Amino acid sequence: MKTPLESDNGTATATAAPGTRALQPKPAGGKALARLREFSGPRGLQVIADALAEPADDEPVATKGRRGAGKASAAAPPEDQAAELAQRYADAAVALGAFDALVAVPDAVPAADGDAPASASLVPPPAWRSLGPIYMPNGQTYGSNPGRTIVSGRVSSIAVDPSNGNHLLCGSAAGGVWESFDNGTTWWPRTDSAPTLTVGALAYAKSAPATVYCGTGEGNFYAGLGAGLLKSANGGTTWSLVAGAPFVGQGFYDLVVDPVNVNHVLAGTTSGLYESTNGGVAWTLRRARRTWSLAYQTSGGAAAEVLAACSDGVYRSTNGGTAWAAVALPGAPASWNRLAVSMVRGDPRVAYAFGSSGGAARLYRRDVAGVWSAVALPAGVTVGQDWYDWCLMAAPDTVNQVYVGAIDNFRGTLSGAAWTWMAMSAKTSGDSIHPDQHAFALHPTDPNVLFAGSDGGLYRSPNRGVNWTSLNNGLAITEIEYLAQDWGSTRMLLAGTQDNGTIRYTGSAVWEHAQDGDGGDCGLNRPSPNVCFHTFYGMGMERSTTGGGWGSWGWIGPAVPAGYSALFYPPVEVNGDTVAQAGQSVFVSRNRGTAFTEVALPAGLLTTAMHASTADRLYVGVSVGRVFRLDWNGASWVRTELTVPRSSAQVSDLHVESGAPNNVWVTYRASSGGRVYASTDGGTSWTDRSAGLPVLPINAVCTDPGNAGRVWVAADIGVYESLSSGAAWSVLGTGLPNVMVADLVFHPHARVLRAGTRNRGVWEVPVDGWLTAPICGTQFIGTLAGNQSGRWFTFNWPATWHVVWTVMPVSPTSGTPQLRWTVQVERGTSEYATYWINVTNLTPVAVQFEGRYAILSRY
């Protein structure tokens, strides 16, 4: 999604007016490619990422990477490395909860507001609950008037029940399969316990609609995390894994089921075109070429025609997918960056092919005589992210209409010999939807109804793309990158999201859209939480002094020169008035971002994580594993390099225990070796604390300031807890989907841990359990003479607590009231409250009394 400060023409401005950001060019291959490479590299999946985005060649997929240095290590070809890693992801997910147990109908996504259950006893194990977003209003589009829509997260695939057009399945990039029985009004997550929540393709069996297939591993991004093929026998409500091999470590692009044979299935994946004749249990590789799209003739059967869009062109089978021959498209290149095919449902003699090669989009149409010809596309079809967002669908009831999708969607209509085009997703007036298109689907009986899936979620058009309705209510699939919290409130969070901007939680599962563009790292000033910061992509940030609501942000920098190196989402840290952002150097402000000072790092290093333990001390971790400490000496920042915990791995997070400044934690986003290290001497020596954790990347770490030795880490699958400073680990809580956890924040007063996940939104868990009964006690004892009034107070009680105060005579008498009291609350600081208890003795004699409290909830 384009930021408000992003160049349209791919070029940067050299300078900017004070207080504004220079326009930023899009990275080559699009912003999604920059994110993919940063995601894949530390995890050992860089070869897979490169293969997804690089121009295709004439080499079979099965041989890529085997020719020597530069593609993969000599020990194993890249596809084997990906399979090994993907198997570890699947094993970790299964260890968290048996997939075979996924048989019950899940509860609805819980609302985030309302009182927590009251409980004073621990309830082991604590249960995670979703905070949403169940959707986000005011989401950004590329259209105008008003250019706003309701969004959720990235949708990779859509399937509509051929026997019931109101029964929908939605596949999210890394948030699993979701089901709706009421045309997208309500949604239910169906694969939260699956070996992977990455979804690439969904397909109903037309001859037996209770049977549905799901290909895991999102071909467009999370390809290397595929765990195989899932299958449902009840229309998509419950699922089982029917085939791991050969798909572990592969990503799915498409699945088609023979219209007359439920057991005959074709799959297009990152590694080739496969066929199964026994319901997906066993598979035969038919073409060792990346296969993006498949179209099966509606008559079905072993003699039916099938079209396949592969990296080396369009291929055709006339025996149901067993043997294939190349289709000659006029003027077509020898290889493609992306390609899709579709047949007209009402007359499959007419078909379309939509591809990208050499920086240009191409569309072809096959007429009823079988002749392919080129079709001119509208100027708005852009190919900058063709590897990532590309889709095609022929209208079902006419041979003269087609839908194409790239960054935006268009409808083409043939009248005579002329094509006319309508912009469907980015309009100058009327309904617009979020850009970056990934999937189309059709209603089984109403040819006017079209479904579209994009980075912003799922949308339905009743009239072939003229109008749109968001189906995102309850589709809790937002991809969270970073979290920041208000320590004085349980109902204030900021989050950066993939392609859906920065969002704000204020107590409702419907989160507010706070700013457009890509949402990166963010932070709040703890003593003054109305002062908050957010980022887009690249260096620089915006500040709000009124709590981060829509329209409250202003650009503050830091300004960096052209060519400055930084992560796509550079790390940000905020501690009081100290604000820092870092790339190849560290920019630090001590006045809330009004002015920044650049602190140099050794040449060639790139900051990947930071932690501000105090306003005067900052820890910096870099991509090759080294760790630095920056200290403010009253006049400047002094850099000190600490002992290296491990080298040649990316630091993912740093954390210093509250009240123990020498207890430092470092985590690594690596797929093997040490991934969690602890120091008790300020970084002079380190202990590897990875034993007992799954062999997966670790993304975040935080500790409990009220319980020495209690630490939590977020892995690519799950959240883990140690009560022994990392000597032993266990899974934290129950109910968290088998999802990638990107960030953690702990609220020490409410005693809840929040987790930001990739495509399942934000979750929280009460680490000590919810209160099941009030915590009661006596805070003070006082005495008042006859008819006297007095005032007592107690301070530094967390403002998040719900407290009831009473005053009780020590020696009660009957007949008339002895005491009257009122309670006043003063917000002493952003985190703490002072309670003023005003007591009046209603009798003529002295009365001794107790000031009693009941803590109803810490939340």
Side-chain angles (χ1 to χ4, degrees), residues 450-478:
L450 175 70
F451 299 88
S454 69
D455 273 8
L458 183 60
Y459 301 89
R460 179 184 185 272
S461 173
N463 48 16
R464 303 176 189 251
V466 176
N467 299 105
W468 295 96
T469 299
S470 166
L471 303 185
N472 290 314
N473 187 3
L475 198 55
I477 58 172
T478 303

Side-chain angles (χ1 to χ4, degrees), residues 771 774-777 797 801-806 852-857:
L771 295 181
I775 299 174
C776 300
W797 284 56
W801 290 6
H802 292 201
V803 185
V804 173
W805 291 90
T806 58
R852 298 179 179 178
Y853 63 85
I855 303 171
L856 305 182
S857 171

Side-chain angles (χ1 to χ4, degrees), residues 133-162:
I134 58 172
Y135 69 87
M136 297 164 286
N138 197 38
Q140 188 180 2
T141 79
Y142 282 169
S144 58
N145 297 331
R148 297 286 152 190
T149 187
I150 294 173
V151 296
S152 56
R154 186 160 85 250
V155 168
S156 61
S157 48
I158 313 161
V160 185
D161 188 334

